[in-house]
Amino acid sequence: MRRFSWFNATSLTFGFVFLYLPMLILIIYSFNESRLVTVWAGFSTQWYGELFQNKAFLDAAWITIKVAFWSSTLATILGTMAAYIMVRAGRFRGRALFSGMIYAPLVMPEVITGLSLLLFFIALDVNRGILTIVLAHTTFAMCYVSVVVTSRLVSFDEALEEAARDLGCTPFDAFRSVTLPIIMPAVVSGWLLAFTLSLDDLVIATFTSGPASTTLPIKIFSAVRLGVTPEINALSTIMILIVTVGVIIASLISRGVSIRAKADERKAEQS
Amino acid sequence: MNSRVTGSFIILGTFVFLTGIFYLETFIPLEQWSDSVSEYWLFNMLGDGWNDITIWWFKFIVLFAINLPLLAINLFIFKSLPHDLKPIVSRHLMIFTPYAWLTVFFLVPFGIVLKISFSDIALAIPPYVPTLKDGFWTMVSGLDLENYAFIGAGAVFAGIVMLLAAIVMYRFVYPWVRSAIVSDDNVGALASTVVAGSALAVSVVCTASLAGLLGLVFPLLRAFVEVPDFLYVAAYLSSFKIAVISTFLTLLIGYPIAYSMARAAEHWRPLLLMLVILPFWTSFLIRVYAWIGILSTEGYLNQFLLSTGLIVEPLTILNTNVAVYIGIVYTYLPFMVLPIYAALDKMDDSLVEAAEDLGCSTFSAFWLITAPLSKPGVIAGCFLVFIPTLGEFVIPSLLGGSNSIMIGKVLWEEFFNNRDWPVASSVAVILLLILIIPIVLFQRNEQKQREING
Amino acid sequence: MAQLKPNVFFAPWNDPAEKPLIQFKNVTKRFGESIAINNLTLDIYAQEFFALLGPSGCGKTTLMRMLGGFETPTEGQIFLDGVDIGPFPPNERPVNMMFQSYALFPHLTVWENIAFGLKRSDMPKDQIGDRVGKMLKLTQLEKFAKRKPHQISGGQRQRVALARSLAKAPKLLLLDEPLGALDKKLRNETQFELMDIQESTGTTFVIVTHDQEEAMTVASRVAVMVDGQLVQVATPDQIYEAPTTTYVADFIGDVNLIEGKSSLTDGGMDVHWDDNQPAIHVTTDTPLAARTSCHFAIRPEKVSISSEKPNAVNVMKGKIIDIAYLGNISTYYVEISAGVIFKAQATNNRRLSRRTYTWEDEIYLSWTDTAGVVLTE
């Protein structure tokens, strides 16, 4: 039995207050009527209204979502391939370099990644825009996807693939009909991670975006540099709520799955 | 066997070539056409009701369909391969795709950064010389180390060399000298200190004389070590200081949370875990932004403290390093909590019970059993906070204002404000060099853990 | 015995006219520096239940994986029905495999698992259902067709794996430690089920196991493997009664081994092992040349134990130093000379309290002249 003392309770309470209080304050003050964000002047939803009137923000949001969708999709395909290679391909020439390139972007400061990609695009004379952001985001997000998928593939019983081959599948068929369905949850969470990373990214997007492709984080950053504004509070509240709802739904689903799996196992033992 | 491999590479080359043409034929016209959409007869015929997106998709489908035979040829070649060659080709294809992507978008860009870091700033487009347009050999001969000298790279190199020397001293020279001087294994702290001190003194003298000698022989090296602009060295030192202090603070706050989570009842733990992970999924920028309102002079914290009467004058926290520490601790807390929690969660409860059974108090059981067993998690957590913090840009620029200098911010300003691309590039190279040490140490820690876990 | 009634016993390996289904010809497999299979030649005949027995790491799994197509031989060839199957990938071989972990696809139901291979064969769609139904019936799994693998018990999973690998009616079925994950009781039942299924389908089975009891029970022939080489390939009774090496004798079952020197006698030979003890008389058609160093091997159950000196060819006096009570039988550890311990087994046909012999008793051990064998390797 684990002993849960007053010390544990206090540190958890303080810890979570520290983690959530700033966001809570942000949410509360987004309903503040006054433009002076630090003075409470009564409840109002006018800033949400103004936010949805602001075409610059809406455009930026649309661009961000487009970028995030394409880059996370591409990153998921490439990252899954990379993970599969890392786990299954055994030895090949340049494996060390490959694994280095997979892990390096995870620890590389964003300023370096962003700068190098910008200089690369300029050297190639590519016009910066949505495409360049997508390429940049794909590059760093695929590494995160490959880490997520790798951790699933490592625990994957290789005999399943061999069994599929034994029963008449070509390697590709075996991957499609056995491996992919089983690692699908990891692939999906890799996609979600890539999507959030892309939605969130400021530094790399700033380096690789062109004048007509301002993403939401760039917009927020330039607004925030001038101080706290109620519109940004409202925008932040919306983003926090979306993420919260998403995470709660995801965890409920995975919880339901694990509870059902446990029930199944119990049933199997009885039968 | 070998000719087969060569054959598969030829086939692979064909695939890549055809796919490349497919891409160029599909997407490049798409880009070019979007400028001349209105002049294209088909779209004129269709009238003005067509918006850009519809036209884009229409063109996309048309171009895709026109060029589809190229992909079909690929598929046909693959289908008609002899069955012993198929797995080899598909394996190479599988490896090639992400490999090529990473090479093009990660390795090559970094090579370009490296090259530009050796160039000089110029009033041109792009704003540096020499470029490849001047001819390859002119370009190569035009590269120099001026930027590195400017940003005090010599100091960084010297620091790294000194660190390595210290490691060598500690690992190899010190035990050797000690065993030579003090034969008895069972020596006190004083004898060890004396030995270590003398060894250190000898090594300092040796290093200094060696450096002096090198300086005499190569005057160029001396110029390289001289620091023309202290800003950069200050930035390295201040980044390092901020990273160390905030890592320590994160550990101080994160450990009790992780420990308490691991102690909590089984059915509570998934919820607690989710509560720690949730902020990680919310926007980094927003989480940093939330603190601006709290920490500013007329912010919520000052309002609260003034109203309770604890302070009379509002505190200045925003735009100081304190705000940067708070921001880093807040945003990187999950990175610290999760690995420590993972280490503690794996630990067998009965270990602590056994320790207490053998006469430990609760505190000494924690200190002797729990703390050492959670060490790998602590180390991993510290690196996960330390490494990204060193190159951090958003937090110092939003919370630290002009008062806090960090390498990431200096790079950004050098690039966007001063438009000095060569110096920005060399700062990036130096930042990477500085990062290599903690990254290698982190990798070794992970490797060791993997070996222990089997 | 096989020569006496050749029609009753299934023994194609004794028939020179019979063509083997599988032929290993000088097969060697190396993994980098280490040799997994060393120049191995072996014939397996149609409808055999062939067991590969050996300690872990002896290469038996590698041998099987080469049949399945998951490894290719470094040297030598493997023929199936006279065709060199080396260049064929697993999906193009008429061979199916039952994996040690069963490798049931967790995202598919039992029915879909069994139909998996059929859907990838040229079998018409409407026949697949019938075939799966037949397989379900064969393995008594009709009730569980709609369940997923994690919803059934371990024994049922084993049967699904068997049904799945049999569904395509392969020429050869490979079973990698098929019963390893089951508990002992279930394992014994399943062994007989496996034999029934093998007999009713007429498929050739090759089973890999490290459990000698299992190999002896199910197999028509057993191959004992050590360090990538075959030590003996024979029927279970031959392996047990007439091992060709001390290794096989020691590996299969329990054995007493005594080292000595041979001398010829009338109708057999003597093994001299201790100057102070009588030589062991052995009747054999093929006696060794005199003064060859050899081992005398005898199974403990063939050694009888008595308190009075019996009238037998081989008699030895000794002292009981330990007794292992196993329920149905007891094994007595008898010291017959300084440091030489002999094991003798006796059935416990009486209750424990009325046991005849106990610790420190002086007793006599005896056996007939045909009970043991003499081995040179």
Side-chain angles (χ1 to χ4, degrees):
Chain A
M1 195 53 219
R2 303 210 175 201
R3 286 147 304 171
F4 194 75
S5 64
W6 61 269
F7 169 77
N8 301 131
T10 351
S11 56
L12 277 184
T13 316
F14 273 105
F16 287 120
V17 165
F18 176 65
L19 274 178
Y20 285 94
L21 193 62
M23 284 193 257
L24 209 63
I25 292 173
L26 199 70
I27 293 171
I28 293 169
Y29 275 85
S30 73
F31 295 103
N32 188 0
E33 201 177 343
S34 163
R35 179 161 266 286
L36 291 169
V37 279
T38 49
V39 184
W40 181 258
F43 181 86
S44 148
T45 53
Q46 61 161 320
W47 302 115
Y48 290 88
E50 273 183 34
L51 184 68
F52 285 108
Q53 302 287 309
N54 190 335
K55 189 159 182 313
F57 269 120
L58 291 182
D59 285 349
W62 177 235
I63 287 172
T64 313
I65 289 172
K66 263 201 288 194
V67 167
F69 176 79
W70 285 112
S71 62
S72 56
T73 308
L74 264 175
T76 307
I77 296 169
L78 287 167
T80 308
M81 280 173 103
Y84 198 73
I85 294 166
M86 288 300 293
V87 179
R88 287 294 151 76
R91 269 187 231 182
F92 57 89
R93 215 165 295 162
R95 191 192 158 95
L97 178 67
F98 186 71
S99 73
M101 286 198 294
I102 284 287
Y103 289 111
L106 302 179
V107 287
M108 190 76 98
E110 286 168 319
V111 276
I112 296 183
T113 317
L115 177 74
S116 64
L117 279 164
L118 170 61
L119 296 178
F120 172 70
F121 291 135
I122 286 172
L124 286 186
D125 212 9
V126 176
N127 282 334
R128 277 171 290 153
I130 291 179
L131 180 70
T132 47
I133 311 178
V134 168
L135 292 176
H137 281 183
T138 305
T139 308
F140 86 94
M142 71 174 273
C143 303
Y144 285 88
V145 175
S146 91
V147 168
V148 173
V149 177
T150 300
S151 65
R152 178 69 190 88
L153 270 177
V154 167
S155 63
F156 178 87
D157 184 7
E158 210 175 336
L160 287 175
E161 248 169 60
E162 289 181 347
R165 299 270 285 124
D166 186 60
L167 293 165
C169 286
T170 61
F172 177 73
D173 198 14
F175 178 79
R176 194 183 52 83
S177 59
V178 173
T179 315
L180 197 57
I182 296 172
I183 63 167
M184 207 54 196
V187 174
V188 170
S189 53
W191 187 88
L192 282 174
L193 182 64
F195 192 83
T196 351
L197 285 170
S198 170
L199 277 188
D200 209 18
D201 169 68
L202 163 74
V203 177
I204 294 174
T206 310
F207 275 104
T208 52
S209 67
S213 56
T214 308
T215 64
L216 202 54
I218 302 177
K219 206 88 203 159
I220 295 176
F221 184 70
S222 54
V224 161
R225 283 201 125 163
L226 307 172
V228 180
T229 63
E231 285 105 333
I232 300 284
N233 280 351
L235 181 64
S236 308
T237 305
I238 294 173
M239 287 170 76
I240 290 173
L241 288 183
I242 290 173
V243 168
T244 312
V245 170
V247 170
I248 288 174
I249 288 173
S251 69
L252 283 182
I253 289 172
S254 72
R255 209 188 135 129
V257 168
S258 74
I259 288 175
R260 213 170 48 222
K262 267 190 196 140
D264 282 345
E265 265 158 39
R266 228 171 290 135
K267 207 165 80 186
E269 273 157 29
Q270 284 159 6
S271 70
Chain B
M1 196 66 204
N2 231 340
S3 68
R4 254 192 215 163
V5 173
T6 326
S8 87
F9 271 115
I10 292 169
I11 294 161
L12 194 70
T14 322
F15 284 174
V16 173
F17 180 70
L18 287 174
T19 317
I21 291 182
F22 169 78
Y23 176 81
L24 293 176
E25 288 292 307
T26 311
F27 289 93
I28 298 299
L30 213 58
E31 285 284 302
Q32 286 169 352
W33 281 7
S34 54
D35 302 330
S36 52
V37 159
S38 50
E39 290 155 27
Y40 199 56
W41 62 270
L42 189 65
F43 302 118
N44 280 333
M45 208 174 68
L46 287 168
D48 294 336
W50 288 70
N51 61 32
D52 282 357
I53 289 181
T54 328
I55 291 170
W56 192 90
W57 275 106
F58 178 75
K59 283 197 304 181
F60 178 73
I61 291 166
V62 169
L63 281 168
F64 197 83
I66 290 172
N67 291 306
L68 212 55
L70 284 170
L71 289 188
I73 294 173
N74 266 356
L75 204 66
F76 176 74
I77 296 177
F78 187 77
K79 284 274 176 195
S80 55
L81 283 178
H83 67 261
D84 57 331
L85 208 56
K86 258 187 204 167
I88 302 176
V89 170
S90 49
R91 182 187 137 93
H92 283 162
L93 208 60
M94 184 88 176
I95 295 174
F96 178 81
T97 319
Y99 209 130
W101 182 284
L102 282 173
T103 310
V104 171
F105 292 107
F106 182 76
L107 215 56
V108 172
F110 197 74
I112 292 173
V113 170
L114 201 62
K115 185 246 145 187
I116 293 176
S117 74
F118 295 118
S119 309
D120 298 317
I121 185 166
L123 277 174
I125 295 172
Y128 53 85
V129 285
T131 60
L132 208 52
K133 281 176 211 150
D134 308 331
F136 183 73
W137 288 112
T138 328
M139 185 192 85
V140 170
S141 58
L143 299 176
D144 53 43
L145 288 168
E146 203 178 290
N147 298 313
Y148 288 97
F150 178 63
I151 62 168
V156 174
F157 281 128
I160 291 176
V161 169
M162 260 172 69
L163 196 69
L164 289 177
I167 292 171
V168 170
M169 287 298 297
Y170 178 73
R171 291 291 293 270
F172 303 107
V173 182
Y174 167 66
W176 180 67
V177 172
R178 194 185 135 159
S179 67
I181 301 176
V182 193
S183 54
D184 188 5
D185 271 342
N186 221 350
V187 284
L190 189 69
S192 303
T193 320
V194 169
V195 173
S198 56
L200 201 68
V202 170
S203 72
V204 165
V205 170
C206 285
T207 316
S209 46
L210 196 69
L213 199 69
L214 283 174
L216 279 178
V217 179
F218 306 105
L220 203 142
L221 272 178
R222 205 171 49 213
F224 191 54
V225 180
E226 272 169 25
V227 181
D229 194 336
F230 196 69
L231 167 78
Y232 297 97
V233 176
Y236 308 139
L237 291 177
S238 130
S239 291
F240 189 73
K241 187 188 89 182
I242 289 174
V244 168
I245 293 179
S246 43
T247 305
F248 179 70
L249 291 175
T250 318
L251 176 64
L252 216 59
I253 295 173
Y255 198 98
I257 298 178
Y259 180 75
S260 310
M261 278 169 68
R263 298 268 109 180
E266 191 93 40
H267 60 276
W268 276 101
R269 269 181 263 165
L271 178 72
L272 294 174
L273 205 59
M274 198 194 83
L275 282 175
V276 171
I277 296 170
L278 185 65
F280 171 77
W281 290 87
T282 44
S283 170
F284 185 80
L285 199 55
I286 288 173
R287 281 183 291 150
V288 177
Y289 163 73
W291 282 96
I292 300 180
I294 297 173
L295 298 176
S296 63
T297 324
E298 61 276 8
Y300 310 121
L301 182 67
N302 274 323
Q303 281 180 24
F304 175 74
L305 291 175
L306 283 172
S307 67
T308 54
L310 275 172
I311 52 168
V312 209
E313 287 279 295
L315 299 169
T316 316
I317 305 176
L318 195 66
N319 296 339
T320 64
N321 276 348
V322 177
V324 177
Y325 297 142
I326 294 176
I328 292 174
V329 171
Y330 180 68
T331 46
Y332 286 101
L333 195 59
F335 290 99
M336 183 64 88
V337 172
L338 292 176
I340 299 178
Y341 169 74
L344 287 172
D345 193 41
K346 264 200 319 231
M347 201 183 93
D348 189 353
D349 274 344
S350 55
L351 292 177
V352 173
E353 283 163 10
E356 286 177 7
D357 181 59
L358 294 168
C360 280
S361 68
T362 310
F363 181 74
S364 61
F366 169 80
W367 197 243
L368 293 172
I369 308 295
T370 314
L373 283 172
S374 61
K375 205 176 93 187
V378 170
I379 293 174
C382 284
F383 278 120
L384 284 177
V385 176
F386 183 81
I387 294 170
T389 307
L390 261 186
E392 187 53 61
F393 163 72
V394 176
I395 298 173
S397 75
L398 283 184
L399 298 178
S402 54
N403 294 322
S404 89
I405 340 167
M406 288 185 80
I407 316 176
K409 218 177 116 204
V410 167
L411 194 160
W412 180 283
E413 278 160 7
E414 209 58 69
F415 188 86
F416 285 107
N417 302 354
N418 297 352
R419 300 233 148 246
D420 194 339
W421 294 13
V423 165
S425 302
S426 45
V427 170
V429 174
I430 290 297
L431 174 55
L432 201 66
L433 270 181
I434 295 173
L435 274 174
I436 280 175
I437 296 170
I439 289 172
V440 168
L441 289 177
F442 176 64
Q443 285 289 353
R444 277 183 49 167
N445 180 52
E446 294 286 288
Q447 187 77 35
K448 217 161 65 188
Q449 275 325 108
R450 266 201 297 273
E451 275 160 23
I452 290 168
N453 295 336
Chain C
M1 295 250 281
Q3 281 96 337
L4 292 175
K5 297 182 211 164
N7 297 331
V8 178
F9 288 93
F10 171 74
W13 47 89
N14 287 334
D15 183 359
E18 190 81 31
K19 272 189 128 176
L21 178 70
I22 300 159
Q23 283 177 293
F24 283 86
K25 281 196 178 160
N26 303 94
V27 172
T28 298
K29 174 74 187 172
R30 287 191 206 94
F31 292 108
E33 291 289 292
S34 65
I35 296 177
I37 305 285
N38 192 1
N39 194 18
L40 182 141
T41 301
L42 172 69
D43 289 347
I44 299 174
Y45 294 85
Q47 300 192 10
E48 253 199 276
F49 201 137
F50 193 87
L52 286 165
L53 180 63
S56 53
C58 70
K60 56 188 194 301
T61 302
T62 310
L63 197 66
M64 167 175 280
R65 288 172 64 83
M66 285 201 286
L67 280 174
F70 301 110
E71 310 283 358
T72 44
T74 319
E75 282 159 32
Q77 289 149 310
I78 304 170
F79 293 92
L80 179 73
D81 254 352
V83 181
D84 182 5
I85 53 172
F88 289 92
N91 48 319
E92 289 169 30
R93 295 187 181 196
V95 174
N96 283 125
M97 182 157 172
M98 189 183 145
F99 289 80
Q100 187 175 11
S101 59
Y102 307 148
L104 297 181
F105 306 127
H107 59 300
L108 303 179
T109 63
V110 167
W111 196 96
E112 287 165 330
N113 260 290
I114 297 173
F116 190 91
L118 298 173
K119 283 182 186 162
R120 278 154 186 82
S121 64
D122 42 15
M123 183 179 270
K125 267 215 167 105
D126 46 320
Q127 286 176 29
I128 291 179
D130 293 349
R131 180 73 186 156
V132 175
K134 218 163 139 190
M135 284 293 122
L136 286 169
K137 197 164 172 231
L138 182 72
T139 47
Q140 300 152 28
L141 284 165
E142 291 110 319
K143 275 196 294 184
F144 306 105
K146 289 210 174 66
R147 298 242 190 126
K148 292 262 177 86
H150 63 269
Q151 293 168 318
I152 56 177
S153 71
Q156 287 157 354
R157 271 178 229 173
Q158 189 266 346
R159 296 214 295 273
V160 177
L162 184 64
R164 187 181 69 179
S165 48
L166 276 173
K168 287 179 84 175
K171 281 187 185 166
L172 173 66
L173 182 69
L174 308 170
L175 302 105
D176 187 3
E177 304 271 2
L179 310 175
L182 304 180
D183 58 55
K184 193 159 169 53
K185 206 162 173 212
L186 196 55
R187 190 155 51 194
N188 289 343
E189 290 167 22
T190 317
Q191 280 171 2
F192 290 104
E193 251 178 55
L194 215 55
M195 289 164 75
D196 286 345
I197 288 172
Q198 197 261 342
E199 215 161 290
S200 62
T201 56
T203 315
T204 312
F205 277 31
V206 172
I207 182 173
V208 155
T209 179
H210 68 272
D211 180 350
Q212 35 140 324
E213 214 174 290
E214 184 174 301
M216 306 282 280
T217 313
V218 297
S220 59
R221 272 199 307 165
V222 177
V224 181
M225 268 187 95
V226 192
D227 294 334
Q229 278 172 316
L230 294 175
V231 191
Q232 190 174 6
V233 184
T235 56
D237 57 317
Q238 277 173 335
I239 291 256
Y240 190 77
E241 303 289 354
T244 51
T245 67
T246 51
Y247 182 86
V248 176
D250 200 26
F251 186 71
I252 310 284
D254 223 351
V255 76
N256 293 305
L257 283 171
I258 290 182
E259 202 180 345
K261 286 256 189 306
S262 63
S263 69
L264 288 170
T265 57
D266 195 21
M269 56 191 283
D270 277 3
V271 178
H272 302 272
W273 60 281
D274 191 330
D275 293 341
N276 305 325
Q277 298 278 351
I280 300 166
H281 305 286
V282 184
T283 305
T284 168
D285 296 336
T286 52
L288 296 171
R291 304 208 58 75
T292 316
S293 40
C294 59
H295 282 89
F296 174 71
I298 185 164
R299 303 282 178 196
E301 73 274 11
K302 298 200 168 60
V303 180
S304 12
I305 185 164
S306 49
S307 46
E308 261 134 61
K309 190 170 181 174
N311 188 16
V313 183
N314 294 303
V315 178
M316 229 161 262
K317 193 169 182 239
K319 191 168 76 179
I320 296 176
I321 57 165
D322 229 331
I323 304 171
Y325 175 67
L326 302 173
N328 52 348
I329 53 165
S330 290
T331 306
Y332 297 89
Y333 291 79
V334 181
E335 191 172 33
I336 48 172
S337 122
V340 182
I341 311 272
F342 230 70
K343 282 170 277 184
Q345 266 170 7
T347 351
N348 292 325
N349 41 17
R350 293 190 189 186
R351 295 287 292 267
L352 188 61
S353 52
R354 297 166 65 184
R355 199 159 52 185
T356 339
Y357 318 108
T358 183
W359 285 269
E360 303 293 326
D361 278 359
E362 297 269 333
I363 47 87
Y364 291 93
L365 299 175
S366 61
W367 60 90
T368 64
D369 55 347
T370 53
V373 287
V374 175
L375 306 167
T376 48
E377 277 178 56

